[in-house]
Amino acid sequence: MKIIAVANQKGGVGKTTTVINLGAALALKGSKVLLVDFDPQESLSNFFGIYGADNNIGTVLYSTINKQEINMSEFVVHNELNNVDILPSELNTMNRLEKEIIGVRSKETVLKRMFNRYADFFNEYDYIIVDCLASLNTMLDNALTASDYVLIPCQCAPLSFAAVPNLILQIDEVKEELNPSLSVLGIVTTFYDRSKNGNMTKEMLFDNYSDLMFRTIITRSAAASDSALKEKACVLSNAKDNKVSAAYKQLADEVISRVNG
Ligand SMILES: Nc1ncnc2c1ncn2[C@@H]1O[C@H](COP(=O)(O)OP(=O)(O)OP(=O)(O)O)[C@@H](O)[C@H]1O
Ligand SMILES: [Mg+2]
């Protein structure tokens, strides 16, 4: 079982879209996949038609903090169409937790303790992919502390490029202080188009982070945003001209080879 955090403190760079499509692509290739919505916004949960779930990750985290027993299987929802399991988020519980976690002992390790506490349940999966919120706060520290890898989607825009160093700094700090086995799985370019800014940012990424870059380039495409309306990952689209679908399948191959590699 491998845990991959998909993180970037910038909003709207394609984190959730990457979690959904990478997850569905890994499932297509035969892996058992759990997608964890670790963002109060509920975007991942909403994509799968789950809104304001009573049984949500916030409740599981509170049960971990308070050392109460819960039945993990009651918290996970199976999505037939995409063949993945989802551990949903819920706005109010997660917002409350985000504030209260500051006062919890070992506040960065709550998510890790959750995975350990219910290890028998979580070990059934090949991949657990954590959709992080757009922030560098304690919640992100939790995701990084609990994960084996972090995957960084970077939008092909100069301001997105400028945000990467701060994220890598925080990853290095968490690695040193809390989770020595954490590593960056890679950076994937998203929203690529042939504009001047698009090409310039892509070049800067490959020049500065050549070792970390995935070869896969996710282009800007309506297919990516449209898929949300169908509750269906775009990797499941059979349309031959769906470049984003093909790219996310290729990303899954790169992920598998780096994880096994
Ligand atoms: N390759 C793409 N081309 C066009 N639109 C995309 C692409 N990837 C994602 N989108 C759309 O852009 C918006 C933001 O994407 P997404 O929600 O995945 O970003 P995010 O990083 O998770 O955002 P947040 O920081 O708010 O959690 C969504 O409406 C999504 O459908
Ligand atoms: Mg998101």
Side-chain angles (χ1 to χ4, degrees):
M1 186 273 277
K2 294 293 175 201
I3 306 177
I4 303 174
V6 174
N8 190 321
Q9 75 275 27
K10 280 209 61 86
V13 298
K15 293 182 288 294
T16 303
T17 305
T18 298
V19 169
I20 293 163
N21 284 283
L22 177 61
L26 289 168
L28 264 181
K29 291 173 196 295
S31 294
K32 191 165 157 59
V33 177
L34 173 68
L35 308 182
V36 176
D37 191 351
F38 201 52
D39 183 348
Q41 277 190 101
E42 300 184 15
S43 311
L44 177 76
S45 310
N46 293 171
F47 178 91
F48 293 104
I50 308 164
Y51 295 84
D54 284 337
N55 285 0
N56 63 75
I57 185 169
T59 317
V60 186
L61 292 167
Y62 272 111
S63 84
T64 303
I65 293 167
N66 299 325
K67 312 224 182 313
Q68 291 156 341
E69 281 305 320
I70 53 111
N71 182 354
M72 214 32 245
S73 60
E74 289 171 5
F75 284 75
V76 163
V77 179
H78 180 67
N79 183 271
E80 202 70 46
L81 188 58
N82 298 274
N83 194 23
V84 293
D85 286 354
I86 300 113
L87 177 52
S89 172
E90 193 276 321
L91 179 75
N92 296 315
T93 320
M94 288 297 276
N95 272 340
R96 187 156 60 89
L97 182 71
E98 209 179 323
K99 293 193 192 87
E100 293 178 354
I101 203 166
I102 309 297
V104 171
R105 188 172 56 217
S106 307
K107 61 182 188 295
E108 299 92 352
T109 66
V110 180
L111 185 64
K112 182 192 170 83
R113 285 185 272 142
M114 180 198 85
F115 284 128
N116 288 343
R117 189 173 174 83
Y118 303 105
D120 286 349
F121 178 85
F122 290 113
N123 282 336
E124 290 295 310
Y125 293 95
D126 298 308
Y127 290 96
I128 298 180
I129 311 181
V130 181
D131 188 16
C132 297
L133 69 177
S135 165
L136 293 173
N137 63 9
T138 305
M139 297 299 268
L140 180 66
D141 281 338
N142 266 271
L144 297 176
T145 302
S147 298
D148 301 294
Y149 300 100
V150 48
L151 187 158
I152 306 172
C154 182
Q155 186 168 357
C156 248
L159 284 177
S160 273
F161 172 79
V164 177
N166 277 335
L167 178 57
I168 294 197
L169 189 68
Q170 181 153 345
I171 293 167
D172 286 343
E173 284 179 1
V174 168
K175 194 173 151 78
E176 189 184 322
E177 296 163 16
L178 294 155
N179 181 10
S181 56
L182 178 67
S183 62
V184 178
L185 190 58
I187 302 174
V188 61
T189 34
T190 55
F191 289 85
Y192 171 72
D193 59 29
R194 291 174 189 282
S195 67
K196 196 172 154 211
N197 270 344
N199 280 317
M200 188 180 74
T201 314
K202 192 176 98 181
E203 259 175 48
M204 289 195 301
L205 279 168
F206 278 86
D207 285 349
N208 285 273
Y209 303 105
S210 55
D211 297 349
L212 294 179
M213 294 309 294
F214 285 107
R215 301 293 123 192
T216 303
I217 308 283
I218 312 292
T219 50
R220 184 186 292 273
S221 152
S225 32
D226 287 354
S227 74
L229 305 170
K230 301 172 195 147
E231 295 180 14
K232 185 176 172 185
C234 58
V235 296
L236 299 177
S237 154
N238 293 319
K240 289 208 174 57
D241 59 351
N242 187 344
K243 280 197 184 140
V244 176
S245 154
Y248 272 114
K249 284 182 192 143
Q250 189 194 333
L251 179 65
D253 287 334
E254 286 196 82
V255 165
I256 292 168
S257 109
R258 288 191 188 189
V259 165
N260 296 328

